[in-house]
Amino acid sequence: MIGGLFIYNHKGEVLISRVYRDDIGRNAVDAFRVNVIHARQQVRSPVTNIARTSFFHVKRSNIWLAAVTKQNVNAAMVFEFLYKMCDVMTAYFGKISEENIKNNFVLIYELLDEILDFGYPQNSETGALKTFITQQGIKGQHQTKEEQSQITSQVTGQIGWRREGIKYRRNELFLDVLESVNLLMSPQGQVLSAHVSGRVVMKSYLSGMPECKFGMNDKIVIDKQGKGGTTDEPGKSELGGSGKQSIAIDDCTFHQCVRLSKFDSERSISFIPPDGEYELMRYRTTKDIILPFRVIPLVREVGRTKLEVKVVIKSNFKPSLLAQKIEVRIPTPLNTSGVQVICMKGKAKYKASENAIVWKIKRMAGMKESQISAEIELLPTNDKKKWARPPISMKFQVPFAPSGLKVRYLKVFESKLNYSDHDVIKWVRYIGRSGIYETRC
Amino acid sequence: MTDSKYFTTTKKGEIFELKAELNSDKKEKKKEAVKKVIASMTVGKDVSALFPDVVNCMQTDNLELKKLVYLYLMNYAKSQPDMAIMAVNTFVKDCEDLNPLIRALAVRTMGCIRVDKITEYLCEPLRKCLKDEDPYVRKTAAVCVAKLHDINAQLVEDQGFLDTLKDLISDSNPMVVANAVAALSEIAESHPNSNLLDLNPQTINKLLTALNECTEWGQIFILDCLASYLPRDDRESQSICERVTPRLSHANSAVVLSAVKVLMKFMEMLPKDLDYYGTLLKKLAPPLVTLLSAEPELQYVALRNINLIVQKRPEILKHEMKVFFVKYNDPIYVKLEKLDIMIRLASQANIAQVLAELKEYATEVDVDFVRKAVRAIGRCAIKVEQSAERCVSTLLDLIQTKVNYVVQEAIVVIKDIFRKYPNKYESVIATLCENLDSLDEPEARAAMIWIVGEYAERIDNADELLESFLEGFHDESTQVQLQLLTAIVKLFLKKPTETQELVQQVLSLATQDSDNPDLRDRGYIYWRLLSTDPVAAKEVVLAEKPLISEETDLIEPTLLEELICHIGTLASVYHKPPSAFVEGSRGVQHKRLPPRAGSPDVGQSGPSEAPPAVIPSQGDLLGDLLNLDLAPPTATVPSVQPSMQMGAMDLLGGGLDSLVCSSPAASHFATNVISGLGDLFDLGGGVGMPTGSYVAPKTVWLLAMKAKGLEISGTFARRGGIIQMDLSLTNKAMSVMTDFAIQFNRNSFGLAPAGPLQVLTPLSPNQTIDVSLPLSTSGPVMKMEPLNNLQVAVKNNIDVFYFSCQYPLSLLFVEDGKMDRQVFLATWKDIPNDNEAQFQIKDIHLNSDVASNKLQGSNIFTIAKRTVEGQDMLYQSVKLTNGIWVLAEMRIQTGNPNYTLSIKCRAPEVCPFVYQCYELVLKN
C-alpha cells in the first residue's frame, strides 16, 4: 500500500510530507526531487522506480503530488487516490497552489490522517469529511452523542455520500448534459475517428433521503420498451434537436451512488444523490455523432518561402441554434516571418509565440459557412527536417448534445417527507463543447 | 489567519524559543508553537529535541492540537522510545473516550508508533476497539491489526487478533468488511502458506454482498482479494463473474481494472463454447476503451495493462484499433504505449488505416516516438504480408526526408524485411547505399553492413563500401565490428577473387589488434574455417537463417500469466513480476491463472507446472543431455522400451521443457535432445501396439518455411478400430504458438477430426509436441484426386495454414471385414471381369502363412487357402468404412519372391490403393 505522500512546490521544496509505512525513509523525499523534479530530461512516465522505491506523481499547476511505495500496490488505485486528494483539497480551500497549501498545512495533515490509514484509502467523500474535519477542531467536543454516531455511521455506512436530515424549502434539481465531441479528420474530409465523451452533472437540492430514477434515450432501453409496447413517455421528441429517437451508448460509468447491479440487470439508473453538485455519470458514444463543424483546409506551398492557406468552416446544425466561442487554430511553420490574413467573419491574428493563426468568431448560426485565407512568408532555412504540419484544431460551444442524448425523466421519490415528484423543480441543460477537434492538413 | 508564516522562521536559537512557547500557559500560544514544530518537521529540520515539551501538550481537549501532537509522536517516537512511554496513558485513556472519533484516533495513532513497549500496552485497547459498538472504530481497529503485525507478527498471533479479524469479514458494516479484507490480505502476503484468508464459497458470498455496498476503495480491496480465490468449478466461476461485471461501470478506474483482473482470471475456467464466455468477452471491451478517456496518468496504467490483455486475449479489442490512435496532445508516455498496442492489433483488416497513422507519426517532433513509429512500420510489413510493399515504399519516402534518426531507424527495420521476404525488395538497396555516410548509430551501421554483406553479389561496389567502414574499425562499437567481420567473410565467400586482401585485413584486425574476446574468437574461427575447409565455411557463414518472428517483444507466456493475475498493480505497469522490485518476503509468491477449462488434468496445465524436483541435479542432467545427444536419434534405436523407462523419459521431457523456457541460452542446446526424445517415445508407443498394424514413419507435411515457422509432420494409424492421425508440431519460429485447431476439407471417405486438436500448452520456440487426433469417417464426402488425398487446415495464433497429405487406404479397413465363403464365391462371380485388376508384388520373401498373418493385422482377412501345383492361392476380403467390399486373390509360388495379386471390387478405382496397402504391409 501507499507508504508515504509528499507535496512539493515547483522548486522541489517539500510542503507536506506524511509517511505511513516504516519502509519509507526520509531520503525518499530527496530521491524524488533529485530524480524527477530536477531531472534534466522531460518526465517519461508518471511512475518512476528509484532504488526499488516506486513514485507515482501527478502535477496540478506548479505543485507536484507524489505517492511513494515499496510494495506491489494497485497502481490505478494510487492515481485515483491522488486525483481524489486534489478534489478534496480543492473542495476545502480552492485552487491547489503553494500559497494555499502552506496556509492550510495543518488541515491537510488532518485530512491525510483521515483518508489514508496505513496507506489504505478510506472514505474520501468531501460531503462526509466536512461533517467532522473542520478548521475549528474543537467542534468534536460539543457534539452530542447522536451527532457523533451519525457522523461515524455516515463515514462508514452504505450511503457515505449523504447525510440525514437535509431540508430545503424549495426542492430543486439541475441536470447538465455536458458533452465534448472529439474528431480527427483527414485532409480529404474522411472521419478518422470521432467520439463523444459526455457527463451528466447534477446539482441536487432535495430534502431527506430522496430516491431518484434517471432515464435517457438509451437505445437498449427504448428498444426494450418498444417491444413491450409500454411507451409511457409521450414527450419523446419534445426537445427536438435532431430527429433521433434513441442513441447507442458504447459504455458508461457511474458515481458510486448509483446501484450498479440494478443497472446491469435492468439498465435502470437509480440512486440516492449526494447533496449539491456531483457527476452522476460519464458516457461515451461513437455512432451517429452530429459533428457541429466541418473544417476544409487547403494548404499550398508556393516555392520554399511561401505558404498559402485557405480554411473553410461549415456549421452543421439547425439554423435556429447558435454556436459560441468559436476558435480555429491554424498552425504555422517555425520559420514564419510574416502573415497576411483575410477573413470574412470574426477576427484573426497571427500569434508568433504560439506558431499559429488564431481565428475567433463570437457567434455562428447553423447551416452557415465562413472562410479565412492567409499568406505565410517563410524565412529560407537549410533545416532538412520537414515541417510536421500539425493539425488544425477547433474550439466551440453549442447548445445541444452532439451525441443526440436526451434526458427523458428524472423522478424523485421521498416516502418519508411529504413532497412528491411534481413538487420538485427540475432544470435540464445541454452543452456541447469541442474536445480534441482536429483536421489534418 | 494563515499558516504559511510557520514555514518562514529560520532564525538561530529557534529551538529555544519554541521550547518556551510550548511550555506557555496560553493555549493559543501552545498551539501556534506546535504548528511551527510540525512545519519545521515537514521541511526536514530535526526538532526531536522538543520531544518532552510537545508530548506535554498532548493532554488537551483541543482536537486539532491533539492531532498535531500525535503527528509529531508518529515521526519521533522511534528515536525517543523511553520518552514515548509518557504518551501511553493518554492513548489508553483516549481509547475509552465517549466520542468514537477520539477512540478511533487513539487506536489509529498508537498503531503507528513503532516502539515495542508501547505496542504491549496497545493490545488491550485494540481488543476492545475491534469489538467496539461503533463501526468507525472497528474499521480503524481492523487496519491497526495489520500495523501491529508489521511491528510484531508473533504478538498478533499470540493475542488471537487474527481470528477476531477473520470474524470482521462477517461484520454488518461494509467498510469494516473491506478494511478487514485489506488487512488480512496484507498479513497473508507475508505468510504465503498460512491459509489465513481461507476463502470458501460462504466467505466469497459475503464479500460479494459487501462489494455492492462499500466505498470505491473498499470495492478495490475486495476485488483484489477475490482475484486470489480459485473457484471450484466453472459454474462457481461463472456466478462470481456475473456478480463482478456490474463493477465495470464504476466511475473509479481502479475498481474497473480490478474487476477486469477478476474476470480475466476466472474466465480461464469457463468452457469456450459457453454462451456466457462470449458475452463476457464482449462486455470487457467497452470499459477498457473508456479507461482511455481518464486522466493521462491513469491512461498510462490502463494502456500498460491493455498491452497485457491484448497479448493474452487478442479477440477482446481486435475491433477497437481506432481508439489507440495517438492524439497530438497526448503526453509522450501515453503516445508510446498506444503505439505499442497499435502494432499488436494490426491485422490485414485494418492495416491501411494503421499505416496511414504511422506515416503521420513519423513526422512528429519527439525523437523516441518517431523512431518507434518507423520501427512500427517495419513490424507491420513483417506481420501482414499483404502490406509489405506499401510499408517498404513508406519507409523509402521517410528515408528521402533525410532526417538522420529516421533514416537510421528505417534501415534497421528494412534489414528485417529483407530477411522475412528474401528476393523481393532488394531493388531498394541502391537507395539505402546512398545514405551510408549519414549513419552514425551502431545499430543502423550494423544493419547496413549486414545488408551489404548479405547481398554482396548484387552490389557492385560491395568491397569498396565495406572497406570504407574498415578504416575506423577500432572506433566502432562491438556490434558493428562483429557484423563487419562477418560481412567481409561473406563477401569473400561470394567473390573470392577480388577480396582476398580485404578479408585478410579484417581477420588480422579482429584477431591481432583487438582486445575484445568475442571478436577475436569469431575472427579465429573464421580464419581456421577458411584455411582448412572453405566448403564448410560456406555452410556455416552462408547458412540458411532462422525465420524472423512476426511478433516482437512478446512477454514470455508464464510471465504473462503471472502479470494477468496482477492487473492494475505496479507489476502490470512495469511488466515485471513483483519479486523483481519488491524487497523481502512480500509479493514473492508467484501467482498463476487457474487451469484452463477442458484441460484433463490440473497438474499439467502449463509448462511451468512440471515440478522442479523431477529435474536431476545440474551435473546429472548435463550428463544425460550429452549421452542422449551422442546416440543418433534415428529410427533404429531399441525396439521395445520398458514402460517404466518411458514414463521417466516423459517426465524428463517435461523438465527439459521448463528448462528451455527459463533459459533461452540453453534452448539451442536442448532442441536436438528434445526432438530426439520425441522420436524415441513415439517409436516405443508404435511398437507397443498389440495389433501390429503397420504405421508409416512420419513425413513432413508442412514446411516451416511455408507456415511462419510451424512445421508439421505426421502419419496415420488404425489402432483398435480407431483411426488416428499422429502429428508432430514443431515451432521453428521465435515466438510462442498457441490456440491450435485443425479442420479437414471434404474428402473421398468422409474423414473428419473426431475431437479438437489437443495442444493444451503453448508451443515454445524450438519445442516439439506430439499429438494424436482421433478421426471419424462421418464427415462430408467429396471425391478427391487422388482418391486418398486429404486437405488439411491448421490454425494457430499466428495464421491458418493449408497442406495436403495422403493416407494409406488400410486406415479404412474395418475389423469385421471377413466375408463368408459362400458370399465370397457369389460376389466374386457377380463382379464383372472388367473390374478386375492385376498387380505384381515384388521381392517378398515370406511364406503364405506369415503373409496372411501380417495382412490380417491390417484387417485384410484370408477366407480360404488353396494349394494348386505348388502355388498357394489366398482368397481375401476387405471391407472399407463406407461399406465397399474388396475381394482379392493372391498367388504365391514357392521360391518366387513375386506375388500376383488380383483385386475385384464394384468400385474399381480403389483397387490401386488397396494394392498399395498390400505392398506396404508386406514389405514392412
Side-chain angles (χ1 to χ4, degrees), chain B residues 87-100:
Chain B
V88 164
N89 267 336
T90 322
F91 279 127
V92 175
K93 213 176 100 202
D94 279 358
C95 283
E96 312 255 313
D97 198 284
L98 280 176
N99 187 340

Side-chain angles (χ1 to χ4, degrees), chain B residues 142-370:
Chain B
V143 175
C144 191
V145 175
K147 290 177 187 171
L148 193 57
H149 186 271
D150 194 39
I151 304 169
N152 191 342
Q154 196 57 47
L155 184 71
V156 170
E157 279 164 44
D158 294 348
Q159 297 278 336
F161 285 140
L162 294 181
D163 293 326
T164 325
L165 200 53
K166 274 190 206 167
D167 294 343
L168 288 183
I169 288 193
S170 317
D171 199 281
S172 58
N173 184 294
M175 196 162 178
V176 177
V177 178
N179 276 5
V181 165
L184 275 174
S185 303
E186 178 168 343
I187 296 171
E189 230 174 79
S190 50
H191 292 275
N193 304 316
S194 60
N195 196 23
L196 199 67
L197 271 165
D198 186 29
L199 294 173
N200 54 46
Q202 286 78 44
T203 43
I204 291 293
N205 198 31
K206 279 176 199 154
L207 293 184
L208 286 168
T209 311
L211 187 62
N212 287 324
E213 295 165 350
C214 61
T215 65
E216 46 194 327
W217 315 115
Q219 295 185 19
I220 300 168
F221 306 153
I222 291 178
L223 286 169
D224 284 351
C225 173
L226 267 180
S228 62
Y229 175 65
L230 190 70
R232 291 179 179 179
D233 50 29
D234 53 332
R235 205 171 296 166
E236 192 188 2
S237 174
Q238 177 174 349
S239 85
I240 297 176
C241 287
E242 276 166 358
R243 293 177 70 178
V244 167
T245 31
R247 298 298 120 198
L248 295 174
S249 309
H250 203 286
N252 187 314
S253 312
V255 175
V256 176
L257 267 178
S258 290
V260 169
K261 165 163 60 191
V262 174
L263 296 175
M264 282 291 286
K265 219 181 146 181
F266 289 7
M267 216 164 147
E268 209 59 20
M269 291 184 68
L270 300 176
K272 284 198 174 177
D273 47 358
L274 196 71
D275 284 346
Y276 181 70
Y277 178 86
T279 321
L280 200 52
L281 273 183
K282 268 189 221 127
K283 277 194 175 173
L284 276 171
L288 287 173
V289 172
T290 297
L291 290 177
L292 297 183
S293 42
E295 288 83 348
E297 290 89 0
L298 267 173
Q299 275 187 54
Y300 174 72
V301 174
L303 285 164
R304 293 292 283 174
N305 279 289
I306 289 172
N307 199 326
L308 297 173
I309 293 167
V310 165
Q311 287 184 57
K312 179 72 192 159
R313 296 191 180 278
E315 63 270 32
I316 294 178
L317 288 166
K318 68 179 172 205
H319 299 303
E320 303 289 350
M321 172 61 89
K322 277 186 179 178
V323 299
F324 297 103
F325 285 178
V326 169
K327 291 182 191 137
Y328 193 73
N329 293 323
D330 280 336
I332 183 67
Y333 50 80
V334 168
K335 283 184 177 176
L336 292 172
E337 291 307 317
K338 281 187 173 175
L339 198 51
D340 237 10
I341 294 168
M342 278 174 69
I343 301 164
R344 294 207 195 287
L345 290 178
S347 68
Q348 205 181 326
N350 54 27
I351 195 74
Q353 264 184 327
V354 174
L355 261 184
E357 281 294 310
L358 292 175
K359 204 174 166 181
E360 204 63 49
Y361 304 161
T363 58
E364 284 223 25
V365 242
D366 190 281
V367 177
D368 282 349
F369 180 62
V370 171

Side-chain angles (χ1 to χ4, degrees), chain A residues 23-24 28 48-55 68-70, chain B residues 574 581:
Chain A
D23 53 3
I24 302 300
T48 329
N49 191 322
I50 306 161
R52 289 189 152 232
T53 309
S54 299
F55 294 82
V68 200
T69 183
K70 283 210 161 188
Chain B
Y574 292 146
F581 58 90

Side-chain angles (χ1 to χ4, degrees), chain B residues 470-585:
Chain B
L470 211 52
E471 280 161 19
F473 189 77
H474 289 297
D475 303 326
E476 300 283 3
S477 71
T478 315
Q479 190 187 9
V480 179
Q481 290 175 332
L482 286 168
Q483 201 54 258
L484 194 53
L485 174 62
T486 308
I488 293 181
V489 173
K490 276 184 193 164
L491 172 71
F492 172 70
L493 289 168
K494 287 174 176 173
K495 300 182 185 172
T497 44
E498 311 119 69
T499 56
Q500 208 155 2
E501 202 179 315
L502 191 62
V503 80
Q504 260 161 9
Q505 202 182 339
V506 77
L507 285 175
S508 77
L509 276 173
T511 53
Q512 284 157 29
D513 303 339
S514 166
D515 348 318
N516 184 321
D518 285 346
L519 185 63
R520 237 175 15 217
D521 286 356
R522 196 186 281 193
Y524 278 125
I525 290 170
Y526 284 156
W527 203 326
R528 281 184 200 144
L529 266 175
L530 289 173
S531 56
T532 52
D533 188 353
V535 179
K538 217 166 193 166
E539 268 169 33
V540 172
V541 181
L542 303 178
E544 196 182 314
K545 276 159 277 296
L547 284 178
I548 204 157
S549 160
E550 287 171 11
E551 298 284 348
T552 43
D553 311 329
L554 275 186
I555 293 174
E556 194 256 321
T558 29
L559 176 60
L560 181 62
E561 301 224 325
E562 189 180 351
L563 293 180
I564 291 285
C565 301
H566 287 295
I567 283 178
T569 69
L570 261 182
S572 73
V573 173
Y574 292 146
H575 288 185
K576 282 180 191 160
S579 52
F581 58 90
V582 174
E583 279 168 6
S585 60

Side-chain angles (χ1 to χ4, degrees), chain A residues 125-161:
Chain A
E125 287 298 312
T126 7
L129 288 171
K130 279 192 170 169
T131 56
F132 67 105
I133 295 188
T134 56
Q135 279 166 294
Q136 287 81 44
I138 320 144
K139 195 180 167 190
Q141 264 13 56
H142 303 304
Q143 283 161 341
T144 63
K145 199 161 186 249
E146 286 72 45
E147 277 172 337
Q148 288 163 1
S149 72
Q150 202 178 48
I151 290 170
T152 58
S153 78
Q154 195 205 331
V155 174
T156 60
Q158 297 177 18
I159 307 163
W161 54 85

